[in-house]
């Protein structure tokens, strides 16, 4: 092997020497390709694996933790919720529509591979500012790709979040979350169990699309990145729908010993991961693989990432039934190998062995790096900002309009109106509230789902940013009436070979781990996406947390909108001078500096327990967590009715005590551990009593009613804010459409 060929496969000289040690000989080109994709960052997690061990992964509800296609938690009634989040960042920059669409297809397969029927999709997206045409094209293409795939396959996209910052202009992030439901005792796993059992290929024919897609996803970009378009796969959601139904029928008839999605690294990863998990081997005959193009080589067949394909291990003698079901659904299927007892992946072409490698060497014994981690020289400068030197708010109304117009805060109706969020009729709370809520059919239960992350917080203090991401996600599901029960994550960072990026990664992981322990919520699945860098510029550290919460009775589902005139408005939690890293500083003062809001984990947990008690006892009419944009934005959002709601939006009259705070900190600071709750006047004393039990500060700050949002602050002679709700809503709801026109 020449140094050039080794380098082209993304391998270092030391990694090549390790390959020689594993094989005891020189690899051939097929074996080199197989090692290159399995030892890529995307597949092996070689820079992150040692740090991910910090996550709490066990708990009384955990049915399946990390290491499988998806995680699973027990939700009672003999059922489990299966969920995971994945990234498709690099492909979505190169080809936005197909990159995003195939990201949806991939995460769906991760769920039904476990035997679960997918019932909900969410996403978390990051783009550059919309002033630039390319960023607008990326947003439109990605949203179109997500909606196309989800709508066609018939799985509702029920929520998500989007933020905008120019650091993502060359590296947009497309993270997709999916959740499904399965009977707990029917959960399938990706294991090649049973020596002699047949190995079957099911799904689309294999083509040359996506070859070295995993390697591409493990590399930084430059000006030539768009030339990698052939590495991006093309999806077919209609075929995936057939594949989904066929796979669930295999489950119903108990035909399988194991099943695995052919995702990143295709046939290579699915075969060696299944064998490694089971401690077995697999022998493949490539001549039997259904092929879309003529004269495909073993190298191409093993590395192709054509979509909508699965690898199955059927129970002995059941392969004919599997093939019959595939014929019924009109999908290709073939027996292409068998399970062996020697621990090897043996690849044949018309009987001739073209590769022979230990499955564990590929899947479990990739290099593991404890890379240097050191804060960047500019970190002190990022955190150094003296708020007293900044001018305080002159017109709170103007600032509120600016924030509501900021695309990160503005309404996302333009996005989610393209998604079918009602197909399957499980959706109880549609996009637009703190969390989506879907019912669990056959029970009186529901699940609340959310994705959250604030990269600016993580840039300024990665540890605190990690804790805040978990807290925001947990607060969102709690404000929807749910007890948090499980976490998945998508950790998007720059080049891990840079010590400053690894420092960000390590601290963010520690922050997420500590917050999950404090809230007693295990991490059951996740994904790491590194090398999000173009021309030496890395994205901000962007850990995204997907959280699932359980609502024992649909009667306890809560939304964020004011419901009844005359209700009292209570502010739970304490407002401090937390301006560092806020959307206010970015939008109004053009600063991304300061220390992010400090999170006290015990205080946050007390808020969760208190709010859940208030909701379950039927004391609240609406609950909305306080986050981006601060209290003023939160109050405005409480006044905005969703599209499907009937009637006129309700305003509010608010009176705030400054408690010595600057006006900008009081109205637009982003102190965590806060929520705005509306309650019937007759229930106020009961709520205050509950809050005192949990040690949660509460203020009665106003009343629901009228058509205006009026905010008075003590010490100010006139209203600080006095605006028609309809005017605020127009600015907030039309912002994205105006910027995309």
């Amino acid at each position: 092997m020449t140094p050039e060929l080794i380098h082209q496969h993304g391998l270092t000289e030391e990694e090549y020497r390790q390959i020689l040690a594993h094989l005891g000989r020189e690899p051939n080109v097929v074996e080199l390709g197989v090692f290159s994709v399995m030892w890529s960052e995307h597949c092996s997690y070689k820079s992150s694996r040692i740090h991910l061990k910090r996550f709490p992964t066990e708990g009384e509800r955990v049915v399946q933790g990390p290491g499988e296609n998806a995680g699973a938690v027990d939700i009672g009634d003999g059922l489990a919720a299966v969920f995971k989040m994945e990234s498709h960042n690099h492909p979505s920059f190169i080809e936005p529509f197909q990159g995003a669409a195939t990201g949806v297809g991939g995460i769906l397969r991760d769920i039904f591979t476990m035997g679960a029927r997918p019932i909900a999709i969410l996403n978390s997206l990051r783009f550059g500012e919309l002033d630039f045409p390319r960023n607008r094209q990326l947003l439109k293409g990605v949203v179109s790709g997500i909606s196309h795939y989800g709508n066609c396959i018939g799985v509702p996209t029920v929520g998500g979040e989007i933020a905008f910052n120019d650091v993502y202009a060359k590296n947009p992030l497309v993270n997709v979350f999916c959740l499904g439901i399965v009977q707990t005792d029917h959960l399938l796993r990706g294991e090649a169990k049973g020596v002699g059992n047949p190995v079957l290929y099911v799904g689309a024919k294999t083509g040359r699309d996506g070859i070295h897609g995993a390697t591409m996803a493990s590399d930084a970009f430059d000006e030539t990145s768009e030339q990698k378009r052939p590495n991006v796969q093309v999806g077919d959601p209609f075929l995936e729908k057939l594949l989904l139904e066929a796979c669930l029928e295999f489950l119903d008839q108990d035909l399988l010993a194991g099943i695995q999605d052919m995702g990143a690294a295709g046939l290579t990863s699915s075969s060696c991961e299944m064998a490694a998990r089971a401690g077995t081997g697999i022998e493949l005959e490539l001549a039997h693989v259904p092929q879309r193009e003529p004269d495909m080589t073993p190298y191409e067949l093993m590395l192709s990432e054509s979509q909508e394909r699965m690898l199955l291990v059927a129970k002995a003698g059941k392969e004919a039934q599997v093939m019959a079901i595939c014929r019924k659904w009109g999908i290709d299927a073939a027996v292409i190998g068998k399970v062996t007892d020697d621990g090897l992946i043996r690849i044949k072409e018309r009987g001739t062995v073209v590769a022979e490698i230990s499955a564990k060497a590929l899947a479990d014994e990739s290099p593991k790096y404890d890379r240097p981690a050191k804060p960047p020289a500019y970190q002190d400068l990022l955190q150094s900002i003296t708020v007293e030197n900044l001018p305080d708010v002159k017109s709170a109304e103007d600032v509120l309009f600016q924030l509501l117009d900021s695309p990160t805060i503005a309404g996302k109706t333009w996005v989610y109106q393209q998604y079918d969020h009602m197909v399957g009729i499980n959706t109880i709370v549609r996009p637009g509230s703190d969390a989506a809520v879907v019912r669990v059919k056959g029970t009186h239960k529901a699940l609340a789902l959310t994705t959250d992350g604030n990269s600016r917080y993580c840039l300024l203090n990665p540890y605190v940013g990690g804790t805040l991401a978990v807290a925001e996600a947990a607060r969102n599901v709690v404000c929807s009436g749910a007890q948090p029960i499980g976490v998945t994550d998508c950790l998007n960072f720059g080049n891990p070979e840079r010590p400053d990026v690894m420092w960000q990664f390590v601290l963010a992981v520690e922050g997420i781990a500590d917050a999950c322990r404090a809230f007693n919520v295990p991490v059951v699945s996740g994904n790491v996406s590194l090398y999000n860098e173009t021309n030496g510029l890395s994205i901000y550290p962007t850990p995204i947390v997907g959280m699932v919460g359980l609502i024992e009775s649909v009667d306890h589902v809560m939304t964020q909108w004011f419901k009844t005139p005359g209700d009292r408005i209570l502010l739970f939690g304490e407002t401090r001078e937390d301006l560092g890293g806020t959307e206010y500083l970015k939008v109004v003062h053009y600063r991304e500096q300061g220390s992010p809001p400090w999170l006290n984990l015990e205080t946050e947990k007390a808020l969760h327990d208190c709010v859940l008690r208030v909701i379950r006892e039927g004391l609240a009419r609406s609950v909305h967590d306080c986050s981006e944009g601060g209290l003023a934005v939160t109050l405005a959002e409480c006044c905005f009715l969703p599209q499907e709601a009937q009637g006129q939006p309700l305003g509010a009259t608010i009176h705030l005590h400054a408690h010595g705070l600057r006006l900008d900190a009081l109205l637009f600071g982003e102190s965590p551990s806060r929520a705005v709750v509306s309650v019937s006047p007759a229930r106020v004393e009961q709520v205050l009593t509950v809050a005192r039990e949990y040690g949660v500060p509460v203020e009665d700050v106003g009343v629901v009613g009228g058509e205006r949002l009026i905010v008075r602050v003590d010490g100010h002679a006139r209203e600080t804010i006095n605006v028609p709700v309809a005017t605020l809503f127009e600015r907030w709801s039309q912002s994205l459409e105006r910027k995309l026109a």
Side-chain angles (χ1 to χ4, degrees), residues 212-544:
H212 273 296
T215 309
M216 176 195 71
S218 308
D219 196 9
F221 274 0
D222 55 25
E223 294 90 344
T224 66
S225 58
E226 293 197 33
Q227 297 174 12
K228 299 180 180 179
R229 192 176 301 269
N231 295 131
V232 178
Q233 312 94 323
V234 177
D236 181 349
F238 299 106
L239 177 57
E240 178 130 333
K241 172 63 173 173
L242 301 176
L243 187 60
L244 185 160
E245 297 300 338
C247 287
L248 294 181
E249 193 165 336
F250 303 151
L251 169 67
D252 289 341
Q253 297 189 23
D254 194 24
L255 303 179
L256 303 182
I259 179 171
Q260 178 86 359
D261 164 40
M262 290 192 215
L267 188 53
T268 292
S269 63
S270 55
S271 57
C272 67
E273 287 174 2
M274 290 183 79
R277 288 190 191 113
T280 59
I282 286 182
E283 183 176 292
L284 299 175
E285 173 51 75
L286 297 184
H288 298 155
V289 172
Q291 299 173 38
R292 194 171 69 231
E293 301 178 45
D295 303 320
M296 291 190 71
T297 66
Y299 183 97
E300 292 170 330
L301 289 167
M302 291 303 296
L303 270 61
S304 168
E305 293 185 10
S306 295
Q307 295 290 286
E308 291 85 41
R309 302 180 301 159
M310 311 288 278
L311 194 67
L312 318 179
V313 174
K315 293 183 176 180
K318 302 287 188 181
E319 58 268 38
Q321 290 170 261
V322 171
M323 301 280 280
I325 290 171
C326 291
R327 283 193 297 272
K328 183 184 85 169
W329 288 102
I331 55 179
D332 285 294
V335 177
I336 64 169
K338 63 182 179 181
V339 178
T340 63
D341 62 0
D342 56 13
L344 299 177
I345 299 300
R346 185 174 296 106
I347 304 164
K348 294 182 175 181
E349 185 186 32
R350 294 179 174 83
T352 301
V353 175
V354 295
E356 195 172 72
I357 310 171
S358 160
K360 284 197 173 293
L362 290 168
D364 299 335
E365 297 173 8
S366 60
K368 296 179 182 65
Y369 296 124
D370 188 0
R371 297 192 185 275
K374 182 181 178 183
Y378 56 77
Q379 194 67 32
D380 288 343
L381 179 63
L382 280 177
Q383 293 182 349
S384 65
I385 185 170
T386 306
V387 173
E388 290 76 13
N389 294 338
L390 295 175
D392 201 348
V393 171
K394 291 183 179 178
S395 170
E397 288 183 3
D398 288 347
V399 171
L400 180 56
F401 276 114
Q402 283 181 267
L403 289 174
L404 293 176
D405 193 53
S406 167
T408 296
I409 289 178
K412 306 301 188 296
T413 304
W414 177 87
V415 175
Y416 61 71
Q417 70 184 1
Q418 299 181 53
Y419 304 150
D420 186 339
H421 40 263
M422 293 304 293
V423 63
I425 61 171
N426 291 312
T427 310
I428 298 174
V429 177
R430 306 182 192 188
S433 195
D434 284 319
V437 179
V438 294
R439 68 172 46 84
V440 181
K441 283 182 178 173
T443 76
H444 203 55
K445 297 177 179 178
L447 296 170
L449 322 169
T450 188
T451 56
D452 285 290
N454 188 311
S455 61
R456 203 159 45 237
Y457 291 166
C458 289
L459 173 72
L460 300 176
N461 187 321
Y463 175 84
V464 173
T467 64
L468 287 167
V470 178
E472 165 76 358
R475 208 179 314 129
N476 278 335
V477 300
V478 163
C479 289
S480 301
Q483 177 70 51
I485 60 171
V487 160
T488 184
D489 59 56
C490 205
L491 307 178
N492 307 274
F493 287 78
N495 186 340
E497 296 165 42
R498 288 174 40 183
D500 59 322
V501 170
M502 277 312 298
W503 176 79
Q504 294 170 337
F505 181 85
V506 171
L507 287 185
V509 166
E510 287 181 356
I512 292 170
D514 284 351
C516 286
R517 285 192 186 88
F519 305 150
N520 193 29
V521 189
V523 179
V524 298
S525 60
N527 175 66
V528 177
S529 174
L530 301 178
Y531 291 97
N532 290 289
E533 174 181 297
T534 298
N535 294 328
L537 176 66
S538 285
I539 63 164
Y540 288 169
T542 313
I544 302 298

Side-chain angles (χ1 to χ4, degrees), residues 2 27 33 90 97 135 251 362 364 377 386 389 436 476 489 515 563 565 572-573 634 645 663 692 696 710:
T2 65
H90 284 32
F97 181 92
N135 295 336
L251 169 67
L362 290 168
D364 299 335
T386 306
N389 294 338
N476 278 335
D489 59 56
K563 309 292 192 306
F572 283 46
T634 301
L663 190 59
R692 281 193 292 271
V696 175
I710 300 170

